[in-house]
Structures are given as C-alpha cells and as structure tokens.
C-alpha cells in the first residue's frame, strides 16, 4: 500500500522568509510525486510533479521541491514567502510500477504567511 | 469550458435520500477521477474512468455509491440512501491521457451535508 505523511498540520512563516512544507512517502517501487494547493472554496491546483530525472523540480508561483530517494521525502520549498501563498498544501504519490492511476494524498499542511 | 466544473456546489440531503453529483471534465480529457474529502483530511480516491470504462472502483465505500460516465465525457456520482458519514466534499478530476503522466485537474467540488 502507498501512503503520504505530512507531519505538520500548520506552518507559520513571515513574509519574505524561506518556507518549507514537509512530505514523506511510502510506495512500492519508484514514486511519482505531486504537490497541490487548495484555496478556500476552490479545487486543488497543481503546483509541480516529480517523475524522473533531476531531483530538484521547479513549479508554479516560484515553488520548488526536492526529491530525496534515501529519505523518501519530497519537501516543498520557496525562497521568499508571500502573504498570498497562505493556503492548504497537499502532497500526493502514485506508484510507477502498477496500473493504478489514482493519487494517494497526505492530510495537508496549512501554510500561514504573516505580513 | 476552461476547467473542470461540478454541480451542484452545495447539496443538503436528509438521511435516506438519494443524491446525484455531476462532473464536467475538461474537453478531450480521457481520464476522470472521483475523490472524497472529509473535513480536515486529504482527498481519498473513490473511482476512475478511462473514457466510458470504469477501470477502478476500489475506493467506493459501499454499494450505495455508484458512478457512471456513459458517453465518456460527463460523469455522475450517485449516492443512494445517504448517511451522515457521507457528508464530505466530493472532488472530480480529469487528466488528458490514460497512459501518460499528466497531472490531474480538479474541479471546485460538491459539498454534501447529510442531516
């Protein structure tokens, strides 16, 4: 079975400071990893994905994530946080070696950026 | 349309009523997914379709849940004899291709409240 852990329910950071939202995963074989963001009353929006290749993935709105196979992690990062980044962030995984196409999501991390 | 749309956005049902939730995917998207998101949790997979074929329904919680996509476009998730534990946001997502690694695009969801 595959699973995702987001150990922090909430992350607080001051505007302009770097931010990190943590994600670890468990999956059989190589993972496909995704980050989504959810704003109130809106659907999940895709930020970035790791499929293969370079461990540092760059995505929308200045976000990036680093795939670490040995630590089974895929932490989301941004060098300088904006107040508008405040939202709910979800990490998701899919196994690459099965026919199952569904994503398994973590429980989410609420990011609060203070002005 | 430009994105995935869902209707209704909000639905209140009395326990025991049947409900039908509609999803209009992005035009041309082959794959369609349904997820259930309970309050404070990440989305959990229910079922998915490739065109009109329902290829995985392993996430449906009981036989009261039924999904269809008869013409390979619009999909309907039906819940019979609703129970209070069915209260959640139901998310629909679509993806361009079956075999590719395209990301899933999510609709805004239908918030179902069962009284």
């Amino acid at each position: 079975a595959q699973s995702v852990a987001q150990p922090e329910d909430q992350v607080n950071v001051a505007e302009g400071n770097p931010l990190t939202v943590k994600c670890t995963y468990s999956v059989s074989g190589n993972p496909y990893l995704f980050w989504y963001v959810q704003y109130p009353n809106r659907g999940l929006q895709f930020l970035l994905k790791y499929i293969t290749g370079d461990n540092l993935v760059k995505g929308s709105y200045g976000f990036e994530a680093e795939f670490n196979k040995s630590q089974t992690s895929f932490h989301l990062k941004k060098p300088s946080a904006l107040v508008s980044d405040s939202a709910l962030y979800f990490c998701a995984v899919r196994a690459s070696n099965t026919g199952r196409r569904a994503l398994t999501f973590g429980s989410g991390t609420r990011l609060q950026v203070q002005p | 349309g430009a994105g995935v749309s869902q209707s209704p956005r909000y639905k209140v049902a009395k326990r025991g009523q049947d409900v039908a939730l509609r999803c209009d995917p992005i035009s041309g998207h082959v794959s369609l997914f349904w997820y259930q998101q309970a309050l404070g949790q990440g989305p959990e997979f229910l079922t998915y379709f490739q065109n009109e074929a329902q290829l995985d329904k392993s996430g449906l919680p009981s036989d009261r849940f039924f999904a269809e996509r008869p013409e390979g476009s619009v999909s309907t998730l039906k819940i019979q004899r609703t129970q209070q534990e069915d209260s959640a946001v139901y998310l629909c997502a679509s993806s361009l291709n079956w075999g590719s690694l395209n990301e899933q695009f999510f609709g805004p969801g239908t918030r179902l409240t069962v009284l």
Side-chain angles (χ1 to χ4, degrees), chain B residues 24-81:
Chain B
D24 284 80
I26 294 172
S27 178
H29 278 198
V30 168
S31 296
L32 185 146
F33 302 79
W34 283 98
Y35 292 85
Q36 180 190 59
Q37 186 176 18
L39 189 64
Q41 300 297 317
E44 292 192 359
F45 168 74
L46 293 176
T47 185
Y48 68 65
F49 294 82
Q50 178 191 6
N51 295 309
E52 69 278 3
Q54 188 175 20
L55 297 186
D56 186 346
K57 52 182 181 180
S58 62
L60 295 176
S62 78
D63 59 7
R64 296 186 295 104
F65 286 71
F66 172 77
E68 60 183 4
R69 194 186 185 198
E71 298 179 358
S73 177
V74 171
S75 177
T76 303
L77 176 66
K78 297 179 180 179
I79 309 173
Q80 298 177 323
R81 304 181 304 281

Side-chain angles (χ1 to χ4, degrees), chain A residues 32 34 36 38 41-46 49 51 88 90 94 99-108, chain B residues 9-10 33 35 37 40-43 45 48 56 58 91 98-108:
Chain A
Y32 298 145
F34 303 80
Y36 283 83
Q38 189 173 39
N41 298 317
R42 295 175 65 179
L44 281 80
Q45 296 178 30
F46 170 78
K49 64 182 176 184
I51 304 299
L88 193 54
F90 290 96
R94 215 194 90 190
R100 198 163 188 265
R101 296 293 188 264
L103 296 175
T104 297
F105 286 85
S107 56
Chain B
R9 291 292 312 276
Y10 302 91
F33 302 79
Y35 292 85
Q37 186 176 18
Q41 300 297 317
F45 168 74
Y48 68 65
D56 186 346
S58 62
L91 298 170
W98 164 250
S100 74
L101 297 169
N102 296 108
E103 60 271 23
Q104 296 176 24
F105 293 86
F106 284 79

Side-chain angles (χ1 to χ4, degrees), chain A residues 64-103:
Chain A
E64 59 189 28
E66 186 167 11
F67 171 63
N68 187 317
K69 188 173 184 178
S70 63
Q71 297 186 4
T72 62
S73 67
F74 190 57
H75 301 331
L76 181 70
K77 300 181 180 184
K78 188 174 182 181
S80 178
L82 300 173
V83 172
S84 57
D85 293 331
S86 298
L88 193 54
Y89 290 80
F90 290 96
C91 180
V93 69
R94 215 194 90 190
S96 64
N97 60 352
T98 73
R100 198 163 188 265
R101 296 293 188 264
L103 296 175

